[in-house]
Amino acid sequence: MTDNDSSNIRRFKHCIGKYKRPHIDSCSNHQDCSIAIGNQKKVTSKKRKYGPTQGNEDQIVTSSSCSQERLDRTFFDQDCSTLGKELLGCRLIRQLQDGSVISGIIVETEAYLGGDDKASHSCGNKATQRNRAMFMAPGTAYVYQIYGIHFCFNISSRGDGAAVLVRALQPMHGIDHMKKLRLGSKQKSKTNIMVKKLCNGPAKLCQALAINKSLNCIDLCNSQELWIQPKQLDSQLQLVSAKRIGVEYAGSYWASQPLRFYVQDNPHVSVIAKSTVKS
């Protein structure tokens, strides 16, 4: 910002203070003031520290202003491990009943292969009322409940009984709304929550995006409530593979398989593994 810009900003503030709001007629250099303020905003915007953006907490996004571009069946129709990696960097979009939209970048996933995978709900290719979404077309949402209160969101892939668990998001839009959804009845006693802890776990992200059993079995390829947008073309992510979380019950072999994938050095990941494989 130049010295001339600084002078114009001071003149602009004087103009506002004198007339309560800027009037073009009240300041002969009002155009210069506006230019200076614009330059000041440009300088400030360069101070962002991490990632493409962490979202504007006060920004209201609606379905009409949000791009309807989405991943199609071809994308989801790939083997489970590959899909788990390819989803990293894509944007999960949730449209609420009032038409507002909240979203986040997928930064962590886990692959559940079905078949012989003893950590999978569909182990042995057993289809049940609960896991039927895992046997539906690739791109079907599988939402199940844990501990009777929390939900987990999965996406079916190619192969019977195979699905990817979405474990963590980097919040992008509607952060204030996410905080309210996360806090729920605790809002009076707990007024804030760190952004990096909003969606750093499968149950947390479901709570923050109001994902529940009502979305089970929906088709992400055409749903107006929940869908996924492709990652940015210039997105270059360093991926990490590690063992899945909390699947020790499946035995040492399946518990040790590197089927959890996350974006390296992303602060929104739920757990940073001690032993990893870089992709």
Side-chain angles (χ1 to χ4, degrees), residues 184-252:
S185 60
K186 299 179 181 179
Q187 290 185 53
K188 291 183 180 179
S189 59
K190 197 172 182 180
T191 58
N192 202 1
I193 184 170
M194 296 177 66
V195 175
K196 69 178 182 179
K197 293 186 177 182
L198 268 178
C199 301
N200 65 331
K204 290 181 179 180
L205 74 87
C206 282
Q207 191 175 40
L209 272 67
I211 296 175
N212 52 43
K213 287 294 288 292
S214 68
L215 298 174
N216 187 43
C217 293
I218 67 167
D219 188 348
L220 298 174
C221 298
N222 55 40
S223 171
Q224 296 302 309
E225 297 177 272
L226 191 67
W227 67 94
I228 300 177
Q229 291 181 344
K231 66 187 74 177
Q232 298 296 319
L233 293 178
D234 60 349
S235 177
Q236 296 182 354
L237 305 175
Q238 184 69 49
L239 308 186
V240 174
S241 300
K243 65 180 182 179
R244 294 173 291 189
I245 304 296
V247 296
E248 289 74 16
Y249 61 85
S252 59

Side-chain angles (χ1 to χ4, degrees), residues 171-184:
M172 296 296 288
H173 291 111
I175 292 178
D176 277 347
H177 207 141
M178 289 185 190
K179 289 181 179 179
K180 292 177 182 178
L181 288 167
R182 278 293 317 280
L183 293 173

Side-chain angles (χ1 to χ4, degrees), residues 84-116:
K85 296 175 183 178
E86 291 296 323
L87 281 168
L88 298 178
C90 296
R91 185 184 298 232
L92 179 62
I93 310 290
R94 173 74 166 107
Q95 180 173 317
L96 303 174
Q97 290 184 345
D98 62 2
S100 62
V101 172
I102 51 183
S103 70
I105 301 295
I106 299 173
V107 297
E108 183 182 1
T109 61
E110 285 180 347
Y112 289 86
L113 311 181
D116 296 330

